């Protein structure tokens, strides 16, 4: 099996489909022989670490891991390349007009959906209005700036905007821009049988086990169809996935970083690519002593990030003090990895200044997967050295966000940040008073002001300073505690390019 579409993001070690900011193969990585050609009749068998929530409707899916299952079947209006740039997909071009109050989309004319329905402006209008108005839509927040969708002609659409929308191109490269056949929008089985305009169509789906895709013969861009068939199996246990790859049962899989050395010893091809997220200790600043900034700073300075990187990530998770990785346009280059330098003595002084000379206690939840829980336990041991007692509780995936973000009964949560398509979504998830991952409602008015200003320009270079400044403030406030910048880790057999 060989193939792949460079415009799509790679799956992370935790299963989230993201677009990496830059590509950095590990030293010694095997590469295909020059001139090697794809077997266009091949089947790629890929094992993934989640079932995506068994809902593959782009508008109503809630699981953040679902995109990997959607990409083969659904094209978006705009595509996001592996280096973070935008390029045409179903929309051949887009332009902001009337001072940014209108976004014009020029559409491709040679596209049909898997059920034979033609793609046109009517299809775009039907999809975007469903994303905005469907009772179960999980994209309503993304659609907020879109007041109306106007059809100019059969292949031109204008999005009338009510507010600044600099992140709109990125959103239209994500699920919001994925186009479903208008004839299938009311299909009762759309959740489990996608009907898109992507390069592959779903021919079999066994929920929780496997989804099978076959090449769509009427696809508008056959040059990216390097496979006849794709089988994505759902195997939660990373050790089981690696064994299946070593035995030849599958051709490729996503791994955790602690499996890199084992995979390399087995002569498998391993690639690592940064993604726009990090491993992080999320904090509820309304609980325990976490409302005290110096107490949070003490936590940040008591954690040996490089030791965690070496012990659990094979040295592939660069220590960081901000959620955005080096090389990503929202990263603040002045917020160095040692912004919160590992210094237990300084951490103890901060605790004393906070009126906590004997330390304090707080609780953390983490997924019941050893790769994550072991890291949380390592942080626990490091904090104990300065007198901070962190209780670690492992939970099933469905319980984690409920406990931390909804019930707000956990003081902290150890996990990764998703590689969102735009930093505006990261900020909206982490740093605003009503953010899902800010259950304490911590409010820095300057961050809120910058977040709004970051949406006003439509040019990425003009937007970057606002998000870089948010990164600096978030590091100073220690709203959360980033540990290291994560990597997508993918392992394949030698026949996969």
């Amino acid at each position: 099996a060989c193939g792949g579409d460079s415009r799509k993001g790679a799956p992370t070690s935790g299963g989230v489909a993201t677009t990496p900011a830059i590509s950095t193969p590990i030293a010694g990585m095997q590469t295909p022989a020059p001139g090697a050609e794809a077997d266009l009749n091949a089947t790629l068998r890929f094992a993934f670490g989640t079932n995506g929530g068994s809902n593959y409707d782009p508008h109503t899916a809630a699981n953040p891991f679902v995109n990997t299952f959607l990409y083969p079947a659904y094209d978006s209006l705009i595509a996001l390349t592996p280096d973070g740039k935008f390029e045409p997909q179903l929309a051949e071009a887009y332009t902001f007009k009337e001072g940014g109050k209108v976004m014009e989309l020029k559409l491709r004319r040679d596209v049909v959906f898997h059920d034979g329905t033609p793609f046109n402006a009517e299809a775009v209008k039907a999809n975007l209005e469903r994303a905005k108005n469907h009772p179960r839509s999980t994209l309503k927040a993304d659609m907020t700036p879109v007041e109306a969708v106007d059809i100019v002609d059969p292949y031109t659409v204008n999005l009338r905007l009510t507010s600044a929308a600099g992140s709109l191109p990125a959103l239209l490269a994500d699920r919001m821009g994925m186009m479903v056949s208008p004839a299938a929008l009311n299909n009762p089985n759309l959740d489990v049988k996608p009907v898109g305009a992507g390069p592959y169509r779903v021919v079999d789906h066994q929920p929780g086990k496997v989804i099978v895709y076959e090449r769509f013969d009427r696809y508008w861009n056959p040059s990216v169809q390097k496979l006849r068939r794709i089988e994505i199996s759902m195997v939660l246990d990373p050790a089981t996935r690696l064994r299946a790859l070593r035995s030849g049962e599958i051709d490729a899989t996503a791994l955790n970083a602690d499996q890199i050395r084992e995979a390399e010893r087995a002569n498998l091809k391993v690639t690592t690519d940064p993604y726009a997220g990090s491993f992080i200790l999320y904090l509820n600043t309304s609980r325990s002593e976490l409302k005290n900034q110096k107490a949070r700073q003490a936590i940040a300075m008591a954690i040996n990030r490089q030791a965690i990187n070496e012990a659990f990530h094979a040295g592939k998770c660069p220590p960081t003090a901000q959620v955005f990785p080096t090389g990503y346009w929202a990263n603040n280059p002045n917020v160095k990895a040692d912004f919160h330098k590992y210094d237990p003595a300084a951490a103890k002084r901060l605790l004393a200044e906070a009126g906590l000379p004997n330390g304090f206690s707080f609780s953390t939840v983490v997924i019941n997967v050893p790769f994550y829980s072991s890291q949380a336990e390592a942080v626990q041991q490091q904090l104990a050295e300065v007198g901070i007692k962190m209780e670690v509780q492992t939970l099933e995936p469905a319980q984690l966000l409920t406990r931390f973000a909804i019930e707000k009964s956990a003081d902290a949560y150890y996990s990764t940040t998703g590689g969102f398509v735009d930093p505006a979504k990261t900020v909206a998830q982490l740093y605003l008073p009503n953010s899902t991952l800010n259950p304490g409602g911590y409010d820095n008015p300057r961050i809120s002001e910058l977040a709004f200003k970051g949406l006003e320009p439509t040019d990425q270079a003009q937007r970057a300073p606002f998000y870089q400044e948010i990164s600096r403030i978030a590091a100073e406030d220690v709203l959360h505690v980033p540990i290291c910048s994560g990597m997508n880790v993918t392992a394949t057999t030698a026949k996969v390019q």
Side-chain angles (χ1 to χ4, degrees), residues 315-346:
K316 304 295 182 182
C317 192
T320 188
Q322 59 182 310
V323 295
F324 301 121
T326 300
Y328 185 59
W329 61 276
N331 172 277
N332 188 322
N334 296 318
V335 179
K336 306 293 186 184
D338 62 355
F339 190 89
H340 297 300
K341 183 179 179 181
Y342 173 57
D343 190 337

Side-chain angles (χ1 to χ4, degrees), residues 68-80:
T68 290
F69 299 99
L70 300 180
Y71 280 138
Y74 288 110
D75 271 5
S76 297
L77 291 169
I78 298 170
L80 191 61

Side-chain angles (χ1 to χ4, degrees), residues 432 443-456 466 470:
L432 301 181
D443 185 4
N444 185 311
R446 178 60 176 158
I447 289 182
S448 297
E449 177 187 4
L450 290 164
F452 179 79
K453 288 183 175 180
L455 290 172
E456 291 178 341
F466 299 109
I470 289 174

Side-chain angles (χ1 to χ4, degrees), residues 336-365:
K336 306 293 186 184
D338 62 355
F339 190 89
H340 297 300
K341 183 179 179 181
Y342 173 57
D343 190 337
K348 289 180 180 179
R349 289 195 296 271
L350 283 166
L351 288 172
E353 292 173 12
L356 303 166
N358 299 317
F360 66 97
S361 301
F362 72 99
S363 64
T364 294
V365 293

Side-chain angles (χ1 to χ4, degrees), residues 25 139 208 234 255 297 350 437 465:
L139 302 176
M234 305 161 204
L255 297 181
Q297 289 175 326
L350 283 166
L437 293 170

